[in-house]
Amino acid sequence: FGKAAWWTVVAFAFLPLPVDVIRLLAITFKYPRWRFAVACFVGRLARYAIMAYAIAFSRPATQWWLVVGVAVVTIGAGLTIGLPKLVRMVRGQHR
């Protein structure tokens, strides 16, 4: 974690492993919360994109809209709920 913190968080978010150990390491190393959140987002986005791709091509082509719909709702919820909190947090750190 001391050498490549961001990539370590991305890897743990990508793999189906508990993130608790990495979260404790981030706290111990005083890793910025917004970087941790972005790394978790990138890792999970990659994992879910691969899962969605696998599901989309293992089912009949008529159900592709279901995968796209779930992805849009999930990303939309993340942007409407999480993004404003992240922006407020980052702005508060720069003052």
Side-chain angles (χ1 to χ4, degrees):
F1 190 86
K3 292 183 181 181
W6 196 82
W7 286 109
T8 304
V9 175
V10 169
F12 267 77
F14 177 76
L15 299 172
L17 299 171
V19 185
D20 298 334
V21 173
I22 295 301
R23 188 178 302 134
L24 291 173
L25 280 173
I27 293 168
T28 303
F29 279 82
K30 295 182 180 175
Y31 194 65
R33 196 179 301 172
W34 70 271
R35 286 186 183 171
F36 182 83
V38 170
C40 282
F41 177 77
V42 168
R44 290 188 181 175
L45 181 68
R47 178 184 358 161
Y48 296 144
I50 290 171
M51 288 171 39
Y53 182 80
I55 290 169
F57 289 102
S58 67
R59 304 243 187 241
T62 58
Q63 294 181 359
W64 66 269
W65 57 270
L66 183 62
V67 174
V68 172
V70 169
V72 167
V73 168
T74 303
I75 292 171
L79 290 176
T80 57
I81 296 170
L83 192 61
K85 290 181 181 180
L86 183 64
V87 168
R88 281 194 304 269
M89 183 179 63
V90 169
R91 284 184 182 169
Q93 289 179 352
H94 291 292
R95 291 181 185 182

